Amino acid sequence: IGKNIARLRNQKGWSQELFAAKLQVAEFDITRSTVTKIENGCRNIFAHELPMICRALGGTTCQRKD
């Protein structure tokens, strides 16, 4: 998941700092350091965090499509 988040963030041309700021505006208390840890697989994403990350990246749903 972390690598996909990094890929989507990079496609938008956003730095980790800008992405963290966008999440903070959406009331997700996160730092650039935490974004780095998530993208590198050093920190797990909690279930309640995933929809906020998805929305910040422009997704309308976080459901898996097979």
Side-chain angles (χ1 to χ4, degrees):
I1 292 176
K3 292 197 183 298
N4 285 329
I5 290 170
R7 179 180 52 80
L8 292 168
R9 178 184 58 74
N10 285 320
Q11 283 177 352
K12 292 185 171 293
W14 295 349
S15 66
Q16 290 177 332
E17 190 168 344
L18 178 61
F19 184 46
K22 288 180 177 289
L23 288 166
Q24 289 170 0
V25 168
E27 299 184 13
F28 180 2
D29 188 21
I30 191 169
T31 63
R32 186 213 43 85
S33 175
T34 303
V35 170
T36 300
K37 290 175 184 176
I38 289 170
E39 290 182 353
N40 290 328
C42 297
R43 180 191 179 279
N44 291 327
I45 300 170
F46 297 104
H48 70 278
E49 297 172 336
L50 193 55
M52 291 183 274
I53 291 170
C54 186
R55 281 192 300 273
L57 290 169
T60 56
T61 182
C62 290
Q63 294 177 347
R64 186 175 170 174
K65 296 178 182 178
D66 292 315

